[in-house]
Amino acid sequence: MLKVNDINVFYGRIQALRDVSFEVPDNKTVSLVGANGAGKSTLMMTLAGVLKSKTGSIEINGEALAKDANHVLGQGMALVPERRRLYANLTVYENLLMGAHLRKDKDGIRSDIKKMEEMFPILGERKKQYAGTLSGGEQQMLAIARGLMGRPKILLMDEPSLGLAPIVIQQVFDIIGELKKQGMTILLAEQNAFKALEISDYAFVLETGKITLQGTGKELLQDERVQQAYLGVKAK
């Protein structure tokens, strides 16, 4: 589904990503875990077409990544961005429509909005409410639903648990689990390493812009280096 090969990304003279390579197979959930500042969001923004890599290549279904974000969406990849980034002055319903802005199938769009309201009942109840007035958890659900409205083949999720209460974090990961059961291909960047690894088929650890560890979610949960650095487990 997604193949990243030796990409290097810079902010001016500062290198944010260093020779990053990985793959996301179809119908799998893959996580990128790491501390704040490790480069996770930079990587996600690069995949979404917002930032450009100086070297290397990115392919979606065997095709080179498009040069702008709209064309990336057209290739089948949607980003649920860090901190939601909703249209605060638009209603819930209007935000969902924005997620489908490249689509022309009006009947399909209406059908998908109904599906989103079934998947996230609170959005149906609040569809005329401005997005900026929703709680943090409700905004995250809307951000996920907006991403799904583009009917992506792969869903990128950047720090979906950021700033949320523990009970809401669990709700968000329950939603991710349900999408996984439905066969959605997901790439998840997440500081909450335990939750991310628990749900992932495969995962990569990103440190200062480089991938330093990789393995199945279960393998990394049991790795002493991951436990000590990200799971709060003390060395024996």
Side-chain angles (χ1 to χ4, degrees):
M1 177 63 74
L2 176 66
K3 186 174 182 179
V4 178
N5 185 45
D6 285 331
I7 65 169
N8 291 272
V9 177
F10 291 77
Y11 291 106
R13 295 183 179 180
I14 300 173
Q15 188 166 4
L17 296 177
R18 302 173 183 273
D19 301 319
V20 172
S21 298
F22 66 94
E23 295 184 9
V24 179
D26 198 12
N27 304 124
K28 298 296 183 182
T29 296
V30 174
S31 285
L32 299 163
V33 299
N36 186 36
K40 301 187 303 300
S41 290
T42 296
L43 178 52
M44 298 296 263
M45 296 288 274
T46 304
L47 295 176
V50 178
L51 299 175
K52 307 300 178 187
S53 59
K54 188 171 183 178
T55 61
S57 63
I58 302 171
E59 295 181 357
I60 307 171
N61 282 326
E63 295 183 359
L65 183 76
K67 293 184 179 180
D68 65 77
N70 270 341
H71 284 95
V72 169
L73 181 58
Q75 286 180 293
M77 189 158 61
L79 172 66
V80 180
E82 182 183 8
R83 299 188 187 279
R84 280 78 76 177
R85 301 195 184 190
L86 299 169
Y87 299 98
N89 294 325
L90 296 182
T91 65
V92 167
Y93 179 79
E94 290 167 337
N95 270 271
L96 292 176
L97 287 179
M98 291 299 293
H101 72 281
L102 293 183
R103 294 172 55 183
K104 306 297 183 184
D105 56 324
K106 293 183 180 179
D107 289 342
I109 291 171
R110 282 193 291 267
S111 176
D112 283 354
I113 287 178
K114 288 182 180 179
K115 288 179 183 177
M116 293 304 104
E117 291 174 351
E118 290 171 0
M119 185 179 296
F120 308 95
I122 193 65
L123 300 184
E125 296 173 16
R126 306 282 174 87
K127 63 183 177 182
K128 294 183 180 181
Q129 189 170 323
Y130 289 117
T133 66
L134 301 177
S135 70
E138 291 164 352
Q139 288 187 11
Q140 187 61 63
M141 292 177 192
L142 178 55
I144 295 170
R146 182 183 62 180
L148 293 173
M149 283 298 299
R151 289 188 176 178
K153 296 173 183 175
I154 177 170
L155 187 66
L156 310 181
M157 305 183 75
D158 191 5
E159 302 283 8
S161 75
L162 186 65
L164 301 180
I167 189 170
V168 182
I169 290 173
Q170 185 58 54
Q171 291 173 352
V172 169
F173 274 91
D174 286 345
I175 291 165
I176 297 171
E178 183 57 34
L179 293 173
K180 179 179 179 179
K181 288 179 183 177
Q182 295 174 10
M184 173 65 69
T185 305
I186 299 170
L187 178 62
L188 172 67
E190 180 58 64
Q191 267 186 277
N192 190 325
F194 180 80
K195 287 290 187 185
L197 295 176
E198 192 177 42
I199 203 170
S200 296
D201 298 297
Y202 205 80
F204 299 87
V205 175
L206 196 62
E207 296 180 347
T208 59
K210 288 182 66 70
I211 290 176
T212 56
L213 290 170
Q214 60 181 286
T216 66
K218 290 181 179 179
E219 287 171 346
L220 292 186
L221 277 172
Q222 296 168 0
D223 189 293
E224 288 187 2
R225 293 164 293 181
V226 173
Q227 290 178 347
Q228 292 171 27
Y230 303 108
L231 305 180
V233 177
K234 295 182 180 179
K236 295 179 181 179

